[in-house]
């Protein structure tokens, strides 16, 4: 889920305007606060703050240079906070670097005016791949209490439903469970072990924020579901090869591929219609 | 080219350069490590001031640790459950002035060993003759570690043996034999413990005992009622064993008072250390917990108060395996070293070096983790660590062992481990849900770290250069002057591996002075006594410990390296009783044997 998908709406009862673009930042901040205050999931406040600040500053600077305006910062905030939560490292520099790379990827890795990678997915994957001795991804669980877990899933589902992206998350979750059973059947490992990862906070961020990002998902509702099914499928293949950061890498590989195919098909369609006229 | 196009080209260049940053940093780190370990032998001796030589076999020590075989319901993950028990503690059990070694074994029916120092570089196992070898009989559990303390103040160090099973207290009968006195002491029937420390918490002159449970005490790992005995969380588990504080009543019996004293926790304790962290004269208790946060209990002499969050050490949950203290920057204050887990590409917890913050102290003391800043952060799957001046240069160095399960070198269990570790409590807490290990390694064959303190806030790993090149699954480390030469040698107990004795050859130009303390009003072992040494405008504090690091205990004697041509000003001794004694201008190269004045 991201910023620009939803139009601003008015809340007439109070006469206040509430911009729906801020639902996602508020929700991810809520997850962060619940996670940290209950379980201390953050590496530290400083590192997360650094990640957010680096993302916002990069967005401000690049937006000013390339669009000559100050951009809405909710997208950069989500990228920064995602890096701050999902990346684990005792060092400070990976948080700044991942955030900067996340935002820069939107400006550099573009085809026909569209950026290809989910920003934070890009930044995190680059660090995981190139600096494994220094960083890891968030791989712990939500402590021992079920209620925060349930609240976040329910609240997240409601918000994502309002944003008209629920079908993406639901398809992914259903596919994950399907492939979890398949992996269990293939490897002989207990099915609980295969399901275990999705009960962790990393997956909640992944399901609600990364795979639903309107800017880096294909346009058709049907194809959104198909693409996310392939993300889950790629994740299964990676998991069968014992890749620890399988979901992040799966999205890194499948998401831009789908985007490129869509861009290619759209440009061909445009070309045909131009030729026809 | 328009300005915007130029900006885009520059952006792409910067983007590529930023992506290259991790690769450049990795290359620099590798080069630095290569430089530090590029010399060996005599060149290492001249560059770093010491060199280690493994001499266990030539010393007559042929000890190999055996792991237990637990309930068959755990067969699929047996190597990682039965992964502890190799421990070593140092004692001079017969008061001959030479340090001996007590080593635990963990196979059912296996024997523990007491290696008596023969004064000539050789050792003889006398455990069986003295009655402390056959302590792992089937049905009584198996040994996890031991600590020595003279609980009855008769001058001879007694043995407390903690197990996954029945804890045991053995009275030392004048160094001639040991008598089992567990029932008289009032010890519980079964504790799955991995840490214990002797200390005099109420300063009544008698040693009390802290015992930390790991698995819950109602779990018999050989006869499981069910398989739901694993931690309920990888980082927030509170379903571990309870803690015990045994108050010494003075008649050979102990009273368990942990709850009354304010120690009531079920975190998974793996290491405890006791030291006067606030300068109050009372011994505070630090517990490194696996699967969770560390705990720090302030001791007011009667009651304990948990202050982990307030002080900063008890917030971020990790996998605490070790707790040891040392005056790292020669400031007269203790830092605490906690080892955790770091595995490239999977989990980078980093070890913690908790340094007291400038300007804080007393009850308001705050700690900050400076492990990264001081380059002692990344070890591996780390276990035991000890501070000691390995090259006698006047600063405390750090010896750390790593390695969890070394099985098939080409097969790795980490993916499956990370999968289950992220699961909800209902999944992770049941061993039946854990994927089978199938002979795979889990952080196996890891190198050790010998971090040399430069005295200016940085440590450098010289393990390979100085000869600490083994890759066994290290557990306990003990530092001891085995040959009475004024150096600290290193003894390492390895899980399913040999006991290693690293004889330390130190450059002779670096000098030393030692202190061997005996309490009178205070407990006779002088556990809790501190020596603060002042020389050449420097100072360093050390204390007599009743257990330090993971399942280990260093020599009782306090060893101070002094560097070249030292001029010692004075040594200040603070006894647990509160008495303070002073020795002016102690002589370099001497062992001072000091009895507390009455």
């Amino acid at each position: 889920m991201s910023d620009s998908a939803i139009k601003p709406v008015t809340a007439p009862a109070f006469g206040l305007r509430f911009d729906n673009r801020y639902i996602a930042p508020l929700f991810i901040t809520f997850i962060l606060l619940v996670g940290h205050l209950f379980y201390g999931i953050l590496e530290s406040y400083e590192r997360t703050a650094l990640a957010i600040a680096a993302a916002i500053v990069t967005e401000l600077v690049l937006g000013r240079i390339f669009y000559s305006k100050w951009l809405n910062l909710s997208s950069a905030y989500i990228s920064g906070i995602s890096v701050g939560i999902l990346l684990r490292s005792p060092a400070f520099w990976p948080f700044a670097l991942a955030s900067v790379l996340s935002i820069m990827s939107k400006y550099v890795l573009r085809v026909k005016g569209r950026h290809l990678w989910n920003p934070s997915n890009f930044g995190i994957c680059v660090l995981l791949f190139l600096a494994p001795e220094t960083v890891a991804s968030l791989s712990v669980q939500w402590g021992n209490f079920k209620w925060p877990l349930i609240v976040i899933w329910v609240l997240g589902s409601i918000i994502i439903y309002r944003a008209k992206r629920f079908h993406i998350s639901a398809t992914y979750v259903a596919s994950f469970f399907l492939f979890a059973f398949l992996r269990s059947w293939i490897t002989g490992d207990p099915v609980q072990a295969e399901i275990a990862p999705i009960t962790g906070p990393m997956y909640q961020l992944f399901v609600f924020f990364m795979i639903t990002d309107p800017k880096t998902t294909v346009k058709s509702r049907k194809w959104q579901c198909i693409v996310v099914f392939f993300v889950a499928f790629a994740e299964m293949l990676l998991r069968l090869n014992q890749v620890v950061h399988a979901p992040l890498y799966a999205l890194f590989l499948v998401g831009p591929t789908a985007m490129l195919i869509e861009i290619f098909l759209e440009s061909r369609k445009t070309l045909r219609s131009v030729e026809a006229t | 080219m328009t300005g915007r196009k130029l900006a885009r080209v520059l952006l792409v260049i910067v983007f590529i350069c930023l992506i290259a940053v991790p690769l450049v940093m990795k290359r620099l780190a590798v080069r630095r490590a290569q430089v530090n370990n590029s010399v060996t032998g005599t060149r290492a001796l001249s560059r770093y001031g010491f060199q280690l030589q493994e001499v266990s076999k030539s010393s007559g020590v042929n000890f190999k640790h055996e792991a237990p075989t637990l309930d068959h319901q755990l067969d699929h993950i047996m190597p990682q459950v039965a992964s502890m028990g190799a421990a070593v503690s140092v004692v001079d059990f017969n008061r001959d002035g030479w340090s001996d070694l007590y080593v635990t074994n963990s196979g059912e029916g296996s024997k523990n060993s007491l290696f008596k120092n023969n004064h000539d570089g050789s050792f003889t196992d006398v455990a069986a003759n003295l009655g402390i070898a056959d302590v792992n009989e089937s049905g009584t559990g198996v040994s996890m570690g031991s600590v020595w303390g003279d609980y009855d103040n008769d001058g001879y160090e007694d043995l407390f043996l903690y197990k996954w099973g029945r804890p045991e207290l053995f009275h030392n009968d004048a160094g001639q034999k040991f008598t089992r006195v567990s029932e008289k002491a009032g010890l519980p029937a079964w504790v799955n413990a991995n840490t214990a420390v002797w200390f005099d918490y109420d300063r009544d002159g008698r040693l009390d005992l802290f015992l930390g449970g790991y698995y819950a005490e109602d779990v018999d790992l050989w006869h499981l009622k069910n398989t739901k005995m694993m931690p309920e969380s990888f980082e927030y588990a509170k379903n571990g064993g309870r803690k015990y504080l045994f108050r010494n009543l003075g008649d050979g019996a102990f009273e368990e008072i942990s709850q009354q004293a304010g120690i009531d926790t079920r975190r998974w304790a793996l290491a405890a250390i006791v030291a006067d962290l606030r300068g109050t004269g009372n011994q505070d208790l630090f517990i490194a917990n696996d699967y969770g946060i560390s705990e720090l209990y302030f001791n007011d002499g009667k009651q304990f108060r948990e202050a982990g969050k307030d002080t900063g050490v008890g917030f971020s949950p990790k996998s605490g395996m070790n707790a040891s203290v040392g005056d790292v920057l020669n400031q007269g204050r203790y830092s605490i070293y906690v080892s955790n887990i770091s595995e490239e590409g999977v989990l980078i917890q980093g070890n913690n070096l908790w340094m007291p913050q400038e300007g804080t102290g007393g009850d308001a003391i705050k700690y900050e983790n400076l492990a990264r800043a001081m380059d002692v952060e990344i070890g591996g799957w780390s276990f035991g660590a000890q501070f000691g001046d390995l090259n006698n240069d006047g600063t405390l160095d750090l010896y750390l062992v790593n390695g969890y399960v070394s099985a098939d070198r080409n097969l790795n269990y980490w993916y499956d481990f990370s999968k289950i570790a992220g699961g909800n409590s209902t999944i992770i807490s049941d061993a039946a849900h854990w994927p089978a290990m199938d002979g795979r390694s889990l952080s196996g064959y890891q190198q050790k770290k010998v971090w040399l303190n430069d005295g200016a806030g940085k440590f450098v790993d010289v393990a390979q250069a100085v000869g600490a090149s083994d890759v066994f699954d290290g557990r306990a480390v003990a530092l001891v002057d085995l040959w009475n030469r004024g150096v600290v040698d290193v003894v390492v107990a390895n899980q399913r591996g040999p006991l290693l004795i690293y004889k330390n050859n130190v450059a002779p130009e670096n000098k030393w002075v030692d202190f061997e303390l005996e309490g009178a009003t205070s407990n006779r072992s002088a556990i809790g006594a501190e020596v603060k040494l002042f020389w050449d405008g420097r100072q360093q504090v050390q204390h007599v410990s009743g257990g330090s690091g993971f399942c280990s205990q260093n020599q009782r004697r306090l060893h101070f390296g002094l560097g070249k041509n030292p001029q010692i000003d004075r040594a200040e001794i603070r006894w647990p009783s509160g008495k303070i004694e002073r020795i002016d201008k102690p002589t370099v190269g001497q062992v001072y044997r000091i009895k507390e004045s009455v």
Side-chain angles (χ1 to χ4, degrees):
Chain A
M1 188 167 57
S2 179
D3 42 335
S4 56
I6 311 159
K7 297 250 176 339
V9 294
T10 305
F14 303 99
L16 296 172
R17 283 176 62 81
F18 182 75
D19 192 331
N20 272 351
R21 286 182 298 184
Y22 298 116
I23 289 179
L26 285 173
F27 181 49
I28 199 169
T29 306
F30 171 72
I31 290 181
L32 173 114
L33 290 175
V34 168
H36 196 57
L37 295 177
F38 277 82
Y39 313 114
I41 63 165
L42 292 184
E43 193 72 38
S44 71
Y45 288 113
E46 293 87 353
R47 288 171 178 81
T48 305
L50 175 64
I52 295 169
I56 285 176
V57 169
T58 309
E59 183 87 307
L60 284 173
V61 171
L62 296 182
R64 195 73 210 162
I65 291 172
F66 292 103
Y67 300 113
S68 303
K69 62 178 180 180
W70 301 113
L71 296 178
N72 183 291
L73 295 175
S74 58
S75 171
Y77 177 79
I78 292 174
S79 298
I81 207 169
S82 297
V83 167
I85 297 174
L86 292 176
L87 211 59
R88 305 290 282 193
S89 174
F92 278 86
W93 66 265
F95 292 89
L97 184 59
S99 281
V100 172
L101 286 173
S102 298
I103 302 302
M104 285 180 86
S105 73
K106 294 197 295 186
Y107 294 82
V108 175
L109 304 170
R110 300 176 73 86
V111 175
K112 298 213 180 282
R114 296 171 69 182
H115 64 270
L116 302 177
W117 273 272
N118 171 276
S120 51
N121 176 249
F122 179 86
I124 290 168
C125 284
V126 167
L127 267 289
L128 288 174
F129 192 71
L130 297 180
E133 72 287 350
T134 311
V135 304
S137 70
L138 179 64
S139 58
V140 298
Q141 68 278 53
W142 284 116
N144 312 315
F145 305 107
K146 290 190 184 68
W147 280 110
L149 178 74
I150 291 167
V151 166
I152 286 171
W153 276 108
V154 170
L155 198 58
S157 298
I158 293 169
I159 290 170
I160 207 114
Y161 182 80
R162 283 196 62 200
K164 298 185 171 56
R165 320 288 292 174
F166 182 74
H167 57 284
I168 300 176
S169 300
T171 305
Y172 174 78
V173 172
S175 306
F176 178 91
F177 276 95
L178 175 72
F179 290 128
F181 281 98
L182 186 57
R183 287 198 307 271
S184 172
W185 180 70
I186 293 170
T187 62
D189 287 342
V191 72
Q192 292 90 342
E194 299 301 334
I195 290 169
I198 206 168
T199 62
M202 195 281 278
Y203 267 87
Q204 285 157 41
L205 296 173
F206 185 71
V207 167
F208 290 130
F209 292 97
M210 278 194 182
I211 60 174
T212 59
D213 178 9
K215 292 281 180 65
T216 53
T217 47
V218 295
K219 289 172 184 166
S220 127
R221 193 179 166 92
K222 182 180 82 178
W223 280 101
Q224 285 170 351
C225 293
I226 292 171
V227 169
V228 90
F229 173 83
F230 276 104
V231 170
F233 179 70
E235 180 190 346
M236 182 191 74
L237 296 180
L238 291 168
R239 285 194 173 279
L240 289 174
N241 284 286
Q242 308 212 339
V243 177
V244 172
H245 310 299
L248 296 169
Y249 288 162
L251 179 62
F252 185 91
L253 295 171
V254 174
T257 308
M259 290 288 288
L260 280 171
I261 292 170
E262 183 178 70
I263 290 166
F264 172 73
L265 293 175
E266 275 182 352
S267 63
R268 214 169 62 167
K269 199 171 158 186
T270 310
L271 193 66
R272 274 186 196 151
S273 63
V274 169
E275 283 171 358
T277 55
Chain B
M1 193 181 279
T2 65
R4 193 156 289 177
K5 271 190 179 165
L6 180 65
R8 194 164 292 281
V9 170
L10 285 174
L11 180 69
V12 171
I13 293 170
V14 172
F15 186 67
I16 292 168
C17 290
L18 286 177
I19 286 179
V21 164
L23 300 174
V24 173
M25 292 185 75
K26 187 190 290 185
R27 182 121 188 118
L28 289 174
V30 168
R31 192 170 295 174
R32 219 167 25 236
Q34 283 170 343
V35 168
N36 292 337
N37 286 295
S38 59
V39 297
T40 53
T42 50
R43 287 183 61 202
L45 181 64
S46 72
R47 180 182 289 188
Y48 301 122
F50 76 112
Q51 187 196 13
L52 301 173
Q53 185 187 3
E54 206 289 302
V55 298
S56 56
K57 282 201 169 56
S58 59
S59 302
V61 174
N62 289 301
F63 180 92
K64 187 173 182 213
H65 177 261
E66 297 169 31
T69 304
L70 307 173
D71 191 301
H72 288 303
Q73 294 178 81
L74 302 174
D75 279 352
H76 62 300
I77 52 171
M78 189 67 76
Q80 64 163 312
V81 179
S83 60
M84 291 179 275
V88 57
S89 54
V90 178
V91 61
D92 179 7
F93 77 93
N94 55 1
R95 298 193 62 166
D96 63 356
W98 293 74
S99 289
D100 315 296
L101 304 172
Y102 187 68
V103 189
T104 58
N105 215 334
S106 313
E108 295 80 1
S110 64
K111 305 284 192 292
N112 292 1
S113 293
L114 175 60
F115 290 105
K116 178 177 168 290
N117 193 325
N118 297 327
H119 313 176
D120 59 358
S122 70
F123 295 81
T124 305
D125 185 0
V126 297
N129 292 342
L130 300 185
I132 50 175
D134 197 8
V135 290
N136 301 312
E137 311 98 271
S138 193
T140 69
V142 297
S143 299
M144 286 291 126
S146 65
V147 281
W148 296 80
D150 184 4
Y151 75 89
D152 60 349
N153 290 330
D154 67 351
Y156 287 88
E157 301 291 320
D158 308 299
L159 169 65
F160 177 71
L161 179 69
Y162 50 96
K163 303 164 72 174
W164 286 355
R166 189 177 71 198
E168 305 282 17
L169 182 62
F170 291 94
H171 181 263
N172 184 344
D173 303 336
Q176 302 302 307
K177 69 180 177 72
F178 287 84
T179 304
R180 186 175 167 275
V181 292
S182 308
E183 276 78 23
K184 187 181 176 195
L187 297 178
W190 195 278
V191 185
N192 296 305
N194 276 93
T195 182
V197 188
W198 287 108
F199 72 123
D200 184 3
Y201 89 96
D202 53 1
R203 296 164 70 186
D204 64 354
R206 294 189 290 259
L207 282 179
D208 312 299
L209 180 69
F210 171 80
L211 175 63
Y214 188 65
Y215 288 98
E217 58 281 0
D218 60 355
V219 172
D220 178 344
L221 288 160
W222 288 262
H223 306 94
L224 291 177
K225 290 179 222 154
N226 57 60
T227 49
K228 291 176 185 160
M229 32 56 77
M230 299 296 277
E232 62 191 350
S233 162
F234 189 65
E235 295 195 324
Y236 308 96
K238 290 181 181 173
N239 63 334
R242 60 163 291 194
K243 310 297 168 278
Y244 302 81
L245 180 60
F246 297 106
R247 182 169 163 264
N248 190 338
L249 301 176
D251 58 356
F254 291 78
E255 178 190 14
E256 204 291 302
I257 56 150
S258 58
Q259 297 220 355
Q260 300 100 290
I263 302 173
D264 186 10
T265 167
R266 281 197 167 271
R267 294 188 184 277
W268 293 62
L270 273 186
I273 184 82
V274 165
D276 180 6
L277 298 172
R278 296 168 296 155
T280 61
N282 291 317
Q283 303 286 295
D284 303 311
L285 171 67
F286 182 96
I287 308 174
N289 293 305
D290 200 359
Y291 311 117
I293 55 170
S294 296
E295 294 164 297
L296 173 56
Y297 289 90
F298 286 164
N299 174 15
D300 73 359
K302 288 179 183 166
Q303 282 289 125
F304 289 82
R305 176 170 59 85
E306 212 283 307
K309 269 196 178 164
D310 295 342
T311 55
V313 302
F315 191 72
S316 192
K318 294 187 178 179
S319 307
M321 309 279 181
N322 172 83
S324 43
V325 299
D327 184 1
V328 172
L329 289 178
N330 285 353
Q331 296 172 313
R333 306 178 83 184
Y334 298 111
S335 300
I336 308 164
Y337 192 71
V338 180
S339 65
N340 299 297
I341 303 171
S342 294
E343 175 70 16
E344 185 171 317
V346 188
L347 180 66
I348 310 288
Q349 289 183 333
N351 298 341
N352 295 121
L353 177 59
W354 293 111
M355 299 278 292
Q357 282 181 20
E358 287 276 338
T360 69
D363 281 356
I365 193 168
K366 303 272 184 210
Y367 289 89
E368 56 186 332
N369 177 21
L370 294 186
R372 184 165 197 87
M374 299 182 76
D375 288 339
V376 290
E377 181 179 51
I378 303 298
W381 193 308
S382 300
F383 274 92
Q386 300 288 4
F387 287 107
D389 192 346
L390 293 166
N391 58 359
N392 284 348
D393 69 346
T395 57
L396 294 179
D397 310 304
L398 182 60
Y399 196 108
L400 171 75
V401 293
N402 306 296
Y404 191 37
V405 177
S406 296
D408 192 317
R409 282 178 181 271
N410 301 314
L411 297 174
N412 192 337
Y413 184 67
W414 254 111
Y415 165 74
D416 281 322
F417 187 87
S418 72
K419 197 167 62 180
I420 194 80
N424 185 265
S425 60
T426 50
I427 298 174
I428 188 176
S429 61
D430 192 337
H433 296 158
W434 287 63
M437 291 192 76
D438 292 332
R440 289 178 282 175
S441 290
L442 183 59
S443 291
Y445 305 101
Q446 293 195 329
Q447 292 185 341
K448 315 309 169 218
K449 299 286 182 183
V450 180
W451 274 306
L452 209 54
N453 187 346
D454 71 359
K458 287 283 182 190
F459 285 77
V460 176
D461 175 32
V462 298
Q464 305 309 308
V466 300
S469 54
D470 73 272
V471 289
F472 297 109
D473 293 333
R475 291 295 178 270
V477 184
L479 301 183
V480 49
D481 185 354
L482 284 172
W483 286 268
N484 282 342
R485 299 172 298 147
V487 303
V488 282
D489 307 297
V490 183
V491 184
V492 180
N494 295 296
Q495 188 76 5
R496 299 184 180 88
L499 183 80
L500 301 178
I501 299 176
Y502 284 106
K503 187 173 184 179
N504 189 1
N505 301 308
V506 179
E509 58 268 25
N510 282 348
K511 306 302 180 190
W512 57 275
V513 64
D514 286 3
F515 297 89
E516 214 165 83
L517 308 180
E518 185 177 324
T521 312
S522 306
N523 69 85
R524 199 155 170 184
S525 296
I527 287 171
E530 277 186 358
V531 174
K532 197 176 271 187
L533 191 75
F534 298 83
W535 83 105
D536 295 344
R538 305 158 81 181
Q539 63 165 313
Q540 187 179 103
V541 66
Q542 293 188 26
H543 74 146
V544 180
S545 174
S548 168
F550 176 81
C551 295
S552 53
Q553 187 174 22
N554 294 328
Q555 67 177 5
R556 197 74 89 232
R557 185 185 297 171
L558 301 180
H559 173 81
F560 290 84
L562 302 168
K564 297 182 181 73
N565 307 312
Q567 297 293 316
I568 310 178
D569 179 49
R570 66 188 189 279
E572 291 176 359
I573 303 166
R574 195 179 70 173
W575 298 91
S577 63
K579 282 196 197 89
I580 293 176
E581 294 180 40
R582 175 175 165 141
I583 303 169
D584 286 319
K585 303 201 180 306
T587 310
V588 166
Q590 292 277 321
V591 178
Y592 281 82
R593 293 187 171 84
I594 297 163
K595 191 163 183 176
E596 182 182 18
S597 58
V598 179

